[in-house]
Amino acid sequence: MKNVRKYAVIGTGAIGGFYGAKLQRSGIEVHFLLHRDYEYVKQHGLVIESADGNFTLPQVNAYNDVNKIPACDVVLVTLKTTDNFLLPKLLPNLVKDDGVVLVLQNGLNLEPYVADIVGDHRVMGGLCFICSNKIDNGHIHHLDYGQITLGDYAKNYRACGITERMKAIAEDLEKAEISIQLSSDLLLSRWKKLVWNIPFNGLSVVLRTTTDEIMSNFYTRNLAENLMREVVSIASVNQRYISSEFVEKMLIDTEKMKPYSPSMKLDYEAKRPLEIEAIFGNPLKVAQQGSIKAPRIEMIYQQLQFLDHFSH
Amino acid sequence: MKNVRKYAVIGTGAIGGFYGAKLQRSGIEVHFLLHRDYEYVKQHGLVIESADGNFTLPQVNAYNDVNKIPACDVVLVTLKTTDNFLLPKLLPNLVKDDGVVLVLQNGLNLEPYVADIVGDHRVMGGLCFICSNKIDNGHIHHLDYGQITLGDYAKNYRACGITERMKAIAEDLEKAEISIQLSSDLLLSRWKKLVWNIPFNGLSVVLRTTTDEIMSNFYTRNLAENLMREVVSIASVNQRYISSEFVEKMLIDTEKMKPYSPSMKLDYEAKRPLEIEAIFGNPLKVAQQGSIKAPRIEMIYQQLQFLDHFSH
């Protein structure tokens, strides 16, 4: 990869818009693919209302056609996973031969899907710990947090350690005032995030509630813990081992958090498609491969499929 | 028991009001215990709007004090199970020495609780297959069905066969145009009813929906079946065996039914307490006794506890 890296953002929403705008503000060349608000952003740029300080980019490189974007060194994939069926058309010409596609989405087995399109050697993953919403055309509201955990990808999620290209990209992101953690094992990091995402995304939709209510009720606190333990047990099929202490810490951290509506809850309320397959369906496939029983995750998957406005 | 039997109705609501009124209309002496609409019913009697034909009883024996009711041969218990804590005060003087308390409630292990109050020899059970609502003071709207499955009770739910007193009470009820089935094994009948009640009462509340929607969605139809199979497996702890054909028939019958809101859904919408312990908690205790895993029933129990307005 070059020393001066060109970025593309595929999906300029709450996550891609926020990180992309920060990168551009730091002096990096960024190209934004847009859909619904392409015309608006092309004319007016992006407005970032952020807990870390508001800023505006009056002019950005906005596109509604991926073929007009020059080949980039780093392609951030920040679509909803429910739009990932678009990636085989979007990615092949966009990423340079020595470039990398950085998958910044929730869920499991997203990198192998991207690797099938661009090759195993051009994929990385990232987990965003962020609370951010797109509230209007070209207008992003970042409420809290923002750290990205970066991990490199190799075939079958073999742990890669800390690679040079991870460090290079981390440097760009840190210059852009994005907090970065490096993970030597991307798959383990994905499973750890699922320990939280599976109970709280799922239950907040099914029980139409927020994290604080789930944690303050005796029964649903237990249920959240039951679900976490099922995630841990499926992770072992991938030879990724998560301790009881980690589960306990997740519960305690969530108890201390401000009342929070997970992204799936916001999607549900806005009648957007729910990311059920990436977050629930793909882990359940791993459970099945390993003949592990995960009846509670299966049940919440079934309940979400029922509630999803787009699954009928 | 005498040849001419005196009845009491404890809980003059959708079920007790309907059956009690039919009994009185047939010429039987019936005494109604009321609470909220005592004054109204004492003055105006009962109005039954029914799929089988409307009728009015301008005058009924209405009470708000159980001690004023004469001792009866048959005491119908038609309270919500969430009010069963009242029974130790209501029952002892109300039922004659050779009389019987007929428990017409949904759920499990209600008869043993009543037997602790009045003795094992003065208890019977009944399962109501009925769609009926109380829509106003002294005003009951019976929409459909109405059959009662009667079963006699003996200590630890030992199967009793068809007893003489069952036949006698069935005769009264049939004269009152109530359709009756006799069960030789009350506990088996209760488990069979739970095969339906557990999935459909539970899912209709959690997923805010009706039976037809549950059945027409691929995922929740499977979930309903999963829940039914867990009920069957718990029933085996009680040495009650329910066939796969029965489960299959329940599913098909439900598919054919008109869209239906189970009683727990109506309770939830009206912000009344949910009968969680009788229908879900007591079966789960049996599962625990028999070391049977029922993770889905446990999960729906936890979800219902969260949603119940009265459990916090």
Side-chain angles (χ1 to χ4, degrees), chain A residues 205-209 213 217 219-220 222-223 226 268 295-296 298-303 305-306 312, chain B residues 205-209 213 217 219-220 222-223 226 268 295-296 298-303 305-306 312:
Chain A
V205 172
V206 173
L207 301 176
R208 45 271 196 207
T209 190
E213 301 274 350
N217 180 284
Y219 300 97
T220 44
N222 274 348
L223 176 53
N226 294 338
Y268 181 69
R296 293 171 188 85
E298 188 183 276
M299 177 159 158
I300 211 152
Y301 172 82
Q302 292 164 322
Q303 291 180 324
Q305 288 284 11
F306 179 87
H312 298 250
Chain B
V205 172
V206 172
L207 301 176
R208 45 270 193 206
T209 192
E213 300 273 349
N217 179 284
Y219 299 97
T220 44
N222 274 348
L223 176 52
N226 294 338
Y268 180 69
R296 293 170 187 86
E298 189 182 276
M299 178 159 157
I300 212 152
Y301 172 83
Q302 292 164 321
Q303 292 180 323
Q305 288 285 10
F306 179 86
H312 297 251

Side-chain angles (χ1 to χ4, degrees), chain A:
Chain A
M1 250 191 307
K2 291 218 177 135
N3 272 337
V4 176
R5 287 167 287 271
K6 223 178 266 184
Y7 280 71
V9 172
I10 303 300
T12 308
I15 309 296
F18 178 67
Y19 290 128
K22 281 198 150 189
L23 283 164
Q24 175 173 330
R25 185 183 58 168
S26 77
I28 285 175
E29 182 180 325
V30 185
H31 301 270
F32 295 89
L33 184 68
L34 292 121
H35 181 53
R36 266 187 299 274
D37 53 356
Y38 162 69
E39 289 292 348
Y40 185 92
V41 172
K42 193 177 166 63
Q43 278 195 26
H44 301 95
L46 290 169
V47 172
I48 311 296
E49 199 182 325
S50 166
D52 307 337
N54 304 339
F55 66 97
T56 301
L57 301 177
Q59 203 276 317
V60 302
N61 300 313
Y63 304 83
N64 65 352
D65 177 358
V66 75
N67 296 311
K68 296 189 176 146
I69 306 181
C72 286
D73 300 281
V74 183
V75 177
L76 308 185
V77 173
T78 48
L79 294 169
K80 284 268 156 198
T81 53
T82 46
D83 287 331
N84 277 8
F85 68 93
L86 299 167
L87 292 176
K89 286 202 170 169
L90 298 175
L91 293 178
N93 297 319
L94 185 56
V95 58
K96 288 187 182 170
D97 286 346
D98 62 346
V100 71
V101 177
L102 174 53
V103 182
L104 293 179
Q105 298 175 310
N106 272 324
L108 193 74
N109 283 334
L110 306 164
E111 289 87 359
Y113 175 74
V114 170
D116 282 346
I117 302 165
V118 299
D120 290 322
H121 60 296
R122 291 198 292 176
V123 186
M124 286 177 53
L127 298 149
C128 304
F129 297 83
I130 185 169
C131 181
S132 183
N133 298 312
K134 184 167 182 174
I135 55 178
D136 203 350
N137 288 333
H139 189 164
I140 284 145
H141 185 199
H142 164 245
L143 290 98
D144 211 350
Y145 309 103
Q147 190 175 70
I148 300 176
T149 297
L150 276 186
D152 212 336
Y153 177 77
K155 197 175 171 62
N156 297 326
Y157 273 120
R158 182 173 53 72
C160 299
I162 311 296
T163 62
E164 288 308 312
R165 63 179 182 181
M166 274 169 74
K167 288 193 226 167
I169 292 169
E171 209 175 293
D172 290 342
L173 293 166
E174 282 173 337
K175 266 192 207 147
E177 296 177 26
I178 299 163
S179 166
I180 297 296
Q181 265 215 320
L182 300 181
S183 164
S184 56
D185 184 349
L186 175 61
L187 184 55
L188 177 62
S189 296
R190 286 220 167 266
W191 277 114
K192 282 183 165 178
K193 189 144 199 240
L194 287 167
V195 167
W196 195 92
N197 274 336
I198 283 184
F200 292 105
N201 277 284
L203 293 176
S204 67
V205 172
V206 173
L207 301 176
R208 45 271 196 207
T209 190
T210 46
T211 53
D212 55 315
E213 301 274 350
I214 293 167
M215 289 307 294
S216 66
N217 180 284
F218 169 81
Y219 300 97
T220 44
R221 189 195 189 283
N222 274 348
L223 176 53
E225 185 170 343
N226 294 338
L227 286 161
M228 287 182 173
R229 294 196 186 282
E230 287 191 358
V231 179
V232 169
S233 112
I234 307 176
S236 72
V237 175
N238 285 163
Q239 282 100 46
R240 296 307 191 273
Y241 304 103
I242 297 170
S243 68
S244 282
E245 289 72 31
F246 181 82
V247 168
E248 204 44 55
K249 187 177 168 354
M250 281 288 109
L251 289 167
I252 291 167
D253 286 356
T254 309
E255 238 159 24
K256 289 183 191 155
M257 266 169 58
K258 277 179 280 183
Y260 182 61
S261 285
S263 59
M264 188 171 275
K265 172 90 184 310
L266 300 177
D267 286 339
Y268 181 69
E269 285 172 352
K271 296 189 195 296
R272 291 188 294 258
L274 308 182
E275 299 186 278
I276 301 175
E277 290 308 328
I279 300 177
F280 298 85
N282 290 349
L284 282 171
K285 279 180 199 146
V286 176
Q288 212 170 5
Q289 284 155 21
S291 300
I292 291 275
K293 284 207 165 65
R296 293 171 188 85
I297 298 177
E298 188 183 276
M299 177 159 158
I300 211 152
Y301 172 82
Q302 292 164 322
Q303 291 180 324
L304 290 169
Q305 288 284 11
F306 179 87
L307 293 171
D308 185 8
H309 301 93
F310 295 82
S311 116
H312 298 250

